[in-house]
Amino acid sequence: MIITIQCPDCVGLVAQISQVLAARNVNIITMREFVDTANNNFFARLEVTNSSEISYISDTLKSVLPNDAIVNVNPQSQKNIIVLVSKEYHCLSDILVRNHFKTLGANVQCVIGNHQILQDICQRFNIPYHFIDHQNTDKQNFEQQIINTINNYSFDFVVLAKFMRILSPGFVANFTHKIVNIHHSFLPAFIGASPYKQAHNRGVKLIGATAHFVTNDLDEGPIIAQQTTPVNHTYQTNDMVRSGKEIETAVLIKALQSLFADKVFVYDNKTIVFD
Amino acid sequence: MIITIQCPDCVGLVAQISQVLAARNVNIITMREFVDTANNNFFARLEVTNSSEISYISDTLKSVLPNDAIVNVNPQSQKNIIVLVSKEYHCLSDILVRNHFKTLGANVQCVIGNHQILQDICQRFNIPYHFIDHQNTDKQNFEQQIINTINNYSFDFVVLAKFMRILSPGFVANFTHKIVNIHHSFLPAFIGASPYKQAHNRGVKLIGATAHFVTNDLDEGPIIAQQTTPVNHTYQTNDMVRSGKEIETAVLIKALQSLFADKVFVYDNKTIVFD
Amino acid sequence: MIITIQCPDCVGLVAQISQVLAARNVNIITMREFVDTANNNFFARLEVTNSSEISYISDTLKSVLPNDAIVNVNPQSQKNIIVLVSKEYHCLSDILVRNHFKTLGANVQCVIGNHQILQDICQRFNIPYHFIDHQNTDKQNFEQQIINTINNYSFDFVVLAKFMRILSPGFVANFTHKIVNIHHSFLPAFIGASPYKQAHNRGVKLIGATAHFVTNDLDEGPIIAQQTTPVNHTYQTNDMVRSGKEIETAVLIKALQSLFADKVFVYDNKTIVFD
Amino acid sequence: MIITIQCPDCVGLVAQISQVLAARNVNIITMREFVDTANNNFFARLEVTNSSEISYISDTLKSVLPNDAIVNVNPQSQKNIIVLVSKEYHCLSDILVRNHFKTLGANVQCVIGNHQILQDICQRFNIPYHFIDHQNTDKQNFEQQIINTINNYSFDFVVLAKFMRILSPGFVANFTHKIVNIHHSFLPAFIGASPYKQAHNRGVKLIGATAHFVTNDLDEGPIIAQQTTPVNHTYQTNDMVRSGKEIETAVLIKALQSLFADKVFVYDNKTIVFD
């Protein structure tokens, strides 16, 4: 059973939390706790022995913690997600395969794409695919169609698996800390379009990928995971693209699996990841 | 202020610990807790706000925890170490430089070597060097001389910084979990002598280094840290040796700094490292 | 156009090779050359501008090089492979997805498995799956059935994508340097069965995976690629298994892509990999 | 014996080079060759068997290669360097220790610092230290004093080992591709001052270091080597600084050792590194 808590810090929080648990004979297997002393915030994630008294424990924890504490006792362990894609298959396929074999930690409800190219792979895995064209329409209408489609499903997160289009502030505002993007560079280097071309022009010796929550500021949202991989003078831009896809896939899945396991907290445009 | 606790696990330990702290108005900044469920052991390391009541807190913690709990409240933060070397300079120099600039997290009390080659570098940093010849004597006498020398100093750990000689069970028994060795392979691959020659013969594509506590079984003690680095077909054995020295230096210092910061627990021939 | 050459070394080989090319106006874009001085062997891989005179160049190179030179001018760039599996999906799925999207660098001709569990994923990608039961039969008959199946296809390599069964010397002898295996440890550590259990018992801080050619000696064949990933005290054996699957997948594909691009040479139970 | 060649590309260059060598019975042990097809440039580095005819070979190579070919036969293998520092000891100490034990691949001629703090460590290794104060003087005079000091020595490279001051275009123009800097970020992320503070504010999950040649554009010169290391939410800025020093040291020495071994070529604000 997992418990996550986020609240203003004060002396005695761990004592209060652990007393509630001990009183119900619940044992703490692993506890990760962090206090952001600069902002006076308390974050904790506990793996504890199972209990049938989930709502009692949750209520009691809330009653002993500060008023605005965010407490989750046994948050839904199997999350539901919607995946947005464009033309590139690598991140999507990795998600579909893991989903198919029940190792993703989440259920893919559907895939939405602005091209038809990835419809086939979704069909092979019996995942609904919704083609929403961004051409011959304006951005507002395009996004409204996405929202209409999304709202037919129950979901916890929207995953931009190389969606390659910038979502408007209005769209993003509906889903605070619910949209995860994979950016194909080591942010904040190479913000924006064609990061591998930028990287090649600069002559870097490493390229990177960054999984982050989407906010209104392009490529500026809270970072969940990052990774780099070596390149050298023999890499043309397209070699960097190919090599980069390997780490894009790896970083996105790493971020998602932390997220699905309730290991990620957000504050002050940063993340706490207890992994 | 650091608190470390190791004891048999039962329900309510965190509650008891945190109540003791909260009662004295001590706040928990970071807490790492781990229960080895297979062996029913509880391990915790807490960084807490300072208190003037160290011995009261320590006594109270001991009184509420199981009888055989090992509790350290604010363990001596600056450790003392003795370094044993042979002919290779790389690990020793790294330790001496950090010691000199007060960033080692420990004080080097003296260096003992079975060759005279490293006496000069010790003198340059004003560190006592004791030459103890292993030739023209038997092992028992050689080790007795080391013990006699060591006993002139107060120390927490003995660091084998490429000492390259096997210590007898009798020697090791005096210093349980007090001797740290750097082995020049990714253990358990290439146990024993000439690991890089073995690695070259096998045609591996990575070489490694392992920092571990020394026990009676050669290269079988609890592992604290490990690292690998790529090699390829152009590496002759001596190239592997040269490249390996870089990770030997890096792994040893990483293990030592975890150890000096009271982040390492030992049980069942394994380590818990809260880093 | 790719040219690979392997032969005994002597002075002037590069001169002879490059003169042949220059005489036909073929330009060398990238050349990797290595002399194993211990065994007096010469290895070279050249990427050159295209030529319509492939067989002339090949013949001329052979005529100027030592008698037993192995020369390949423009080796078949798209290799054919057969994949052998058991129950685990991760390596196979990665191969199938890349094969489907034409980025594997090879064509999967068929998949052979000793369980039926992975038949479904193969069917989803329209790849023939042959179930060959290892139960209720002896090893010789089991392997003969595999050979009979294999021989229905044209193939360059057999890939053991977590096949988990030891092939007999008789089987292996048919396919020297044609069978690639992924072993779930950092060889030569943890040879044989249950390497993650062995790793957990030893308390290692890194786990690894090794892609190698299969020879008669179990887990002793020439290593093509290796990788490690960190683990810590919180990892139970099954956590290591799960984490290990990520690097097994990554290492196998890395080895295969080097192999398919004619970058791998074998000699003296080692590999030269020009990547 | 090492040979390096850089010239415009055309068909037959390798043939011409290798014929010159074969004619003098010089064998090529390892050859790395790269053609930058976008800019039509040819780069090669050869390790060959020794010859007493260095100047004959050099002259002959120049006579058969394009007019503006840059040919070095057996470039001075032991380079001379001057190190510029400010207050931080980590990169300098690493250089001094390796220099002392003759494993740097270069001779440290002297150290110049704008503070007196590192004078002591230089004296311990008998390396001349020149204190040049940047205070109470203007930049032009400060740099002129450095140039005056430098000119008392013979040197191949100037190494900025955390010099922390921006050199004027006039200074840099004197030493094209002769000045190497270590920047404490993964360029081009966090150009300029306080990169770790910038990194902390952005909430990155990796920090980096970059060794590069110094040009007139701040932090924009050709990159020689880069490396990253993981950080997490528990890292305050000063933790990033401390962790970053480890990779700054590692990246700088890696870049220097490639440079000292004549493995680095520069063109078009990028490097080719044959390592």
Side-chain angles (χ1 to χ4, degrees):
Chain A
M1 200 164 89
I2 306 288
I3 299 173
T4 62
I5 296 167
Q6 177 170 355
C7 65
D9 186 44
C10 61
V11 174
L13 288 182
V14 174
Q16 285 160 315
I17 295 163
S18 51
Q19 274 177 267
V20 169
L21 297 173
R24 308 316 299 168
N25 203 33
V26 171
N27 197 20
I28 301 173
I29 307 301
T30 310
M31 175 167 180
R32 295 290 296 271
E33 184 254 20
F34 173 69
V35 171
D36 171 25
T37 51
N39 297 295
N40 201 43
N41 279 318
F42 173 92
F43 305 87
R45 179 183 186 275
L46 298 87
E47 299 185 9
V48 301
T49 50
N50 285 328
S51 165
S52 58
E53 305 175 286
I54 290 181
S55 56
Y56 174 82
I57 290 171
S58 179
D59 291 346
T60 313
L61 284 173
K62 280 173 193 157
S63 73
V64 302
L65 290 170
N67 273 341
D68 44 0
I70 304 169
V71 177
N72 273 294
V73 179
N74 208 21
Q76 181 201 343
S77 66
Q78 197 68 9
K79 305 297 189 292
N80 293 315
I81 65 169
I82 289 170
V83 185
L84 269 61
V85 299
S86 186
K87 294 184 193 170
E88 291 176 86
Y89 76 87
H90 55 290
C91 289
L92 174 64
S93 298
D94 187 49
I95 289 170
L96 290 177
V97 166
R98 292 173 196 261
N99 181 66
H100 184 73
F101 288 102
K102 313 287 184 207
T103 58
L104 179 62
N107 298 310
V108 178
Q109 300 291 86
C110 74
V111 175
I112 299 172
N114 65 328
H115 290 273
Q116 289 178 296
I117 198 166
L118 295 174
Q119 180 152 16
D120 170 75
I121 185 79
C122 290
Q123 285 174 342
R124 287 175 189 269
F125 287 107
N126 308 120
I127 299 296
Y129 185 89
H130 304 281
F131 167 55
I132 300 179
D133 198 350
H134 68 281
Q135 293 174 304
N136 309 317
T137 185
D138 63 10
K139 186 164 190 165
Q140 191 179 352
N141 186 38
F142 172 64
E143 292 189 349
Q144 189 56 52
Q145 289 181 67
I146 296 176
I147 289 174
N148 293 345
T149 306
I150 281 178
N151 285 337
N152 291 327
Y153 297 92
S154 152
F155 67 93
D156 299 282
F157 298 103
V158 173
V159 179
L160 309 188
K162 304 285 294 186
F163 181 55
M164 310 303 279
R165 301 196 74 76
I166 298 164
L167 295 166
S168 70
F171 186 102
V172 173
N174 292 317
F175 309 105
T176 306
H177 302 158
K178 294 290 182 198
I179 312 178
V180 177
N181 184 47
I182 179 71
H183 183 77
H184 42 320
S185 88
F186 176 73
L187 289 175
F190 309 129
I191 285 174
S194 303
Y196 292 121
K197 190 162 188 306
Q198 292 181 56
H200 182 259
N201 289 344
R202 181 60 186 91
V204 294
K205 299 300 184 185
L206 295 173
I207 56 172
T210 303
H212 63 98
F213 289 109
V214 175
T215 59
N216 286 343
D217 299 308
L218 178 63
D219 300 338
E220 294 286 357
I223 293 170
I224 307 170
Q226 297 189 289
Q227 198 178 323
T228 54
T229 194
V231 295
N232 61 44
H233 59 271
T234 68
Y235 282 66
Q236 299 300 318
T237 300
N238 63 334
D239 301 308
M240 290 188 178
V241 168
R242 193 174 55 242
S243 183
K245 286 178 181 180
E246 306 291 333
I247 51 169
E248 292 166 20
T249 307
V251 169
L252 179 58
I253 204 68
K254 183 168 182 292
L256 292 180
Q257 294 197 326
S258 295
L259 194 62
F260 298 159
D262 302 297
K263 293 178 174 176
V264 180
F265 298 77
V266 186
Y267 78 105
D268 192 22
N269 208 46
K270 298 177 190 177
T271 63
I272 290 173
V273 184
F274 285 132
D275 64 2
Chain B
M1 198 165 88
I2 307 289
I3 299 173
T4 63
I5 297 167
Q6 177 169 355
C7 65
D9 187 44
C10 61
V11 174
L13 289 182
V14 174
Q16 284 161 317
I17 295 163
S18 51
Q19 274 177 268
V20 169
L21 298 173
R24 307 316 298 167
N25 203 33
V26 171
N27 197 22
I28 301 174
I29 306 301
T30 310
M31 176 169 179
R32 295 290 296 270
E33 184 253 20
F34 174 69
V35 171
D36 171 25
T37 52
N39 298 294
N40 202 43
N41 279 318
F42 173 92
F43 306 86
R45 179 181 185 278
L46 298 87
E47 298 185 8
V48 301
T49 49
N50 284 329
S51 165
S52 58
E53 305 174 287
I54 290 181
S55 56
Y56 175 82
I57 290 172
S58 179
D59 291 346
T60 313
L61 284 172
K62 280 172 192 160
S63 72
V64 302
L65 291 170
N67 273 339
D68 44 1
I70 303 168
V71 176
N72 272 295
V73 179
N74 208 20
Q76 180 201 343
S77 65
Q78 196 69 7
K79 306 295 188 293
N80 293 315
I81 65 169
I82 289 170
V83 184
L84 269 60
V85 298
S86 186
K87 293 184 195 172
E88 291 176 86
Y89 76 87
H90 54 290
C91 289
L92 174 63
S93 298
D94 187 49
I95 290 170
L96 290 177
V97 165
R98 290 173 198 261
N99 181 67
H100 183 73
F101 286 103
K102 312 288 183 207
T103 58
L104 179 62
N107 299 311
V108 178
Q109 299 291 89
C110 73
V111 175
I112 299 172
N114 65 328
H115 290 274
Q116 289 178 295
I117 198 167
L118 296 174
Q119 181 151 15
D120 170 74
I121 185 80
C122 290
Q123 284 174 342
R124 287 176 190 269
F125 286 108
N126 308 119
I127 298 296
Y129 185 89
H130 304 281
F131 167 56
I132 300 179
D133 199 350
H134 68 281
Q135 293 175 305
N136 309 317
T137 186
D138 62 9
K139 186 165 189 163
Q140 192 178 350
N141 186 38
F142 173 64
E143 291 189 350
Q144 190 56 54
Q145 288 181 68
I146 296 176
I147 289 174
N148 292 347
T149 306
I150 281 177
N151 286 337
N152 290 329
Y153 297 92
S154 152
F155 67 94
D156 299 282
F157 298 103
V158 173
V159 178
L160 309 187
K162 304 285 291 185
F163 181 55
M164 309 304 279
R165 304 197 72 77
I166 299 165
L167 294 167
S168 69
F171 187 101
V172 172
N174 293 317
F175 309 103
T176 306
H177 301 157
K178 295 290 183 198
I179 312 178
V180 176
N181 183 47
I182 178 72
H183 183 76
H184 42 319
S185 88
F186 176 72
L187 288 176
F190 310 128
I191 284 174
S194 302
Y196 292 122
K197 191 165 187 306
Q198 293 181 56
H200 183 259
N201 290 344
R202 181 62 187 90
V204 295
K205 299 299 186 186
L206 294 174
I207 55 172
T210 304
H212 63 99
F213 288 109
V214 176
T215 59
N216 286 341
D217 300 308
L218 178 62
D219 299 339
E220 294 286 357
I223 294 170
I224 308 170
Q226 297 189 289
Q227 199 178 323
T228 55
T229 194
V231 295
N232 60 44
H233 58 271
T234 67
Y235 282 66
Q236 300 300 318
T237 300
N238 63 336
D239 299 309
M240 290 188 178
V241 169
R242 193 175 54 240
S243 183
K245 286 179 183 181
E246 306 291 334
I247 51 170
E248 292 166 20
T249 307
V251 169
L252 179 57
I253 204 69
K254 183 169 182 292
L256 292 180
Q257 294 197 324
S258 294
L259 194 62
F260 299 158
D262 302 297
K263 294 178 173 176
V264 181
F265 298 76
V266 186
Y267 78 104
D268 193 22
N269 209 46
K270 297 178 189 175
T271 63
I272 290 172
V273 184
F274 286 131
D275 62 2
Chain C
M1 200 165 88
I2 306 288
I3 298 173
T4 64
I5 297 167
Q6 177 169 356
C7 63
D9 187 44
C10 61
V11 174
L13 289 182
V14 174
Q16 284 161 316
I17 295 163
S18 51
Q19 274 178 267
V20 169
L21 297 173
R24 308 315 299 166
N25 203 33
V26 171
N27 196 21
I28 301 173
I29 306 301
T30 309
M31 176 167 179
R32 294 290 297 270
E33 184 252 21
F34 174 68
V35 172
D36 171 25
T37 52
N39 297 294
N40 201 42
N41 279 317
F42 173 93
F43 305 87
R45 180 182 185 277
L46 298 86
E47 299 185 8
V48 300
T49 50
N50 285 328
S51 165
S52 58
E53 306 175 287
I54 290 181
S55 57
Y56 174 82
I57 290 171
S58 179
D59 292 347
T60 313
L61 284 172
K62 280 172 192 159
S63 73
V64 302
L65 290 170
N67 273 339
D68 44 0
I70 304 168
V71 176
N72 272 294
V73 179
N74 208 22
Q76 180 200 343
S77 66
Q78 196 70 5
K79 305 296 188 292
N80 293 314
I81 65 168
I82 289 170
V83 185
L84 269 60
V85 298
S86 186
K87 293 184 195 170
E88 290 176 87
Y89 75 88
H90 54 290
C91 289
L92 174 63
S93 298
D94 187 49
I95 290 170
L96 290 177
V97 166
R98 291 174 196 261
N99 180 67
H100 184 73
F101 287 103
K102 311 289 184 207
T103 58
L104 180 61
N107 298 311
V108 178
Q109 299 290 88
C110 73
V111 175
I112 299 172
N114 65 329
H115 290 274
Q116 289 178 294
I117 199 167
L118 296 175
Q119 180 151 15
D120 170 75
I121 185 81
C122 291
Q123 285 174 342
R124 287 176 189 270
F125 285 108
N126 308 119
I127 298 297
Y129 185 89
H130 304 282
F131 167 55
I132 299 179
D133 198 350
H134 68 281
Q135 293 175 303
N136 308 318
T137 186
D138 63 9
K139 187 166 189 164
Q140 193 180 350
N141 185 38
F142 173 63
E143 291 189 349
Q144 190 56 53
Q145 289 181 69
I146 296 176
I147 289 173
N148 293 346
T149 306
I150 280 177
N151 285 337
N152 291 327
Y153 296 92
S154 152
F155 67 94
D156 299 281
F157 298 104
V158 173
V159 178
L160 309 187
K162 303 286 292 184
F163 181 54
M164 309 304 279
R165 302 197 71 76
I166 299 164
L167 295 166
S168 70
F171 186 101
V172 172
N174 292 316
F175 309 104
T176 305
H177 302 156
K178 295 289 182 199
I179 311 179
V180 177
N181 183 47
I182 178 72
H183 183 76
H184 42 320
S185 88
F186 176 72
L187 289 176
F190 310 128
I191 284 175
S194 302
Y196 292 122
K197 191 164 187 307
Q198 293 181 57
H200 183 259
N201 289 344
R202 181 61 186 90
V204 295
K205 299 300 186 186
L206 295 173
I207 55 172
T210 304
H212 63 98
F213 288 110
V214 176
T215 59
N216 286 342
D217 300 308
L218 178 63
D219 300 338
E220 293 286 357
I223 294 169
I224 307 171
Q226 297 189 290
Q227 198 177 322
T228 54
T229 194
V231 295
N232 61 45
H233 58 272
T234 67
Y235 282 66
Q236 299 301 318
T237 300
N238 62 336
D239 300 308
M240 290 188 178
V241 168
R242 193 174 55 241
S243 183
K245 286 178 182 181
E246 307 291 333
I247 51 170
E248 293 167 19
T249 307
V251 169
L252 179 57
I253 204 67
K254 184 168 182 292
L256 292 180
Q257 294 197 326
S258 295
L259 194 61
F260 299 158
D262 302 296
K263 294 179 173 174
V264 181
F265 298 76
V266 186
Y267 78 104
D268 192 22
N269 208 46
K270 297 178 190 176
T271 63
I272 290 172
V273 184
F274 286 132
D275 62 1
Chain D
M1 198 164 90
I2 307 288
I3 299 174
T4 63
I5 297 167
Q6 177 170 355
C7 64
D9 187 43
C10 61
V11 175
L13 288 182
V14 175
Q16 285 161 316
I17 295 163
S18 51
Q19 273 177 268
V20 169
L21 297 173
R24 308 315 299 167
N25 203 33
V26 171
N27 197 21
I28 301 172
I29 306 302
T30 310
M31 176 169 178
R32 294 291 296 272
E33 184 254 20
F34 173 69
V35 172
D36 170 25
T37 51
N39 298 294
N40 201 43
N41 279 318
F42 173 94
F43 305 87
R45 180 183 185 276
L46 299 87
E47 298 186 8
V48 301
T49 50
N50 284 329
S51 164
S52 58
E53 305 175 288
I54 290 181
S55 57
Y56 174 82
I57 290 171
S58 178
D59 291 347
T60 313
L61 284 172
K62 281 173 192 158
S63 72
V64 302
L65 291 169
N67 273 340
D68 44 0
I70 304 169
V71 177
N72 273 295
V73 179
N74 209 21
Q76 181 201 342
S77 65
Q78 196 67 10
K79 306 295 189 292
N80 292 314
I81 64 170
I82 290 170
V83 184
L84 268 60
V85 299
S86 185
K87 293 185 195 170
E88 291 176 88
Y89 75 88
H90 54 291
C91 289
L92 174 64
S93 298
D94 187 48
I95 290 169
L96 290 177
V97 166
R98 291 173 197 261
N99 181 67
H100 184 72
F101 287 103
K102 312 288 184 207
T103 59
L104 180 61
N107 299 310
V108 178
Q109 300 290 87
C110 74
V111 175
I112 298 172
N114 66 327
H115 290 273
Q116 289 177 295
I117 199 167
L118 296 174
Q119 179 151 16
D120 170 74
I121 185 80
C122 290
Q123 284 174 341
R124 288 176 189 268
F125 286 108
N126 307 119
I127 298 296
Y129 186 90
H130 303 282
F131 167 55
I132 300 179
D133 198 349
H134 68 281
Q135 293 174 303
N136 308 318
T137 185
D138 63 10
K139 186 166 190 164
Q140 190 178 352
N141 185 37
F142 173 63
E143 292 189 349
Q144 189 56 52
Q145 288 181 66
I146 296 176
I147 288 173
N148 293 346
T149 306
I150 281 178
N151 285 337
N152 291 327
Y153 296 92
S154 152
F155 67 94
D156 298 282
F157 298 103
V158 173
V159 178
L160 309 188
K162 305 284 293 184
F163 181 54
M164 309 304 280
R165 301 198 73 76
I166 299 165
L167 295 166
S168 69
F171 186 102
V172 172
N174 292 318
F175 308 105
T176 305
H177 302 158
K178 295 289 182 198
I179 311 177
V180 177
N181 183 46
I182 178 72
H183 183 76
H184 42 319
S185 88
F186 176 72
L187 289 176
F190 308 129
I191 285 174
S194 303
Y196 292 122
K197 191 162 188 305
Q198 292 181 56
H200 183 259
N201 289 344
R202 181 62 187 89
V204 295
K205 299 299 185 185
L206 296 173
I207 55 171
T210 304
H212 64 98
F213 289 109
V214 175
T215 60
N216 286 341
D217 299 309
L218 178 63
D219 299 338
E220 294 286 357
I223 293 170
I224 307 170
Q226 296 188 290
Q227 198 178 323
T228 55
T229 194
V231 294
N232 60 45
H233 58 272
T234 67
Y235 282 65
Q236 299 300 318
T237 300
N238 63 335
D239 301 308
M240 291 189 177
V241 168
R242 193 175 54 241
S243 183
K245 287 178 182 181
E246 307 291 333
I247 50 169
E248 292 166 20
T249 308
V251 169
L252 179 57
I253 204 69
K254 183 168 182 290
L256 292 180
Q257 294 197 325
S258 294
L259 194 62
F260 298 158
D262 302 298
K263 294 178 172 175
V264 181
F265 298 75
V266 186
Y267 78 104
D268 192 21
N269 209 45
K270 298 178 190 176
T271 63
I272 291 173
V273 184
F274 286 132
D275 64 2

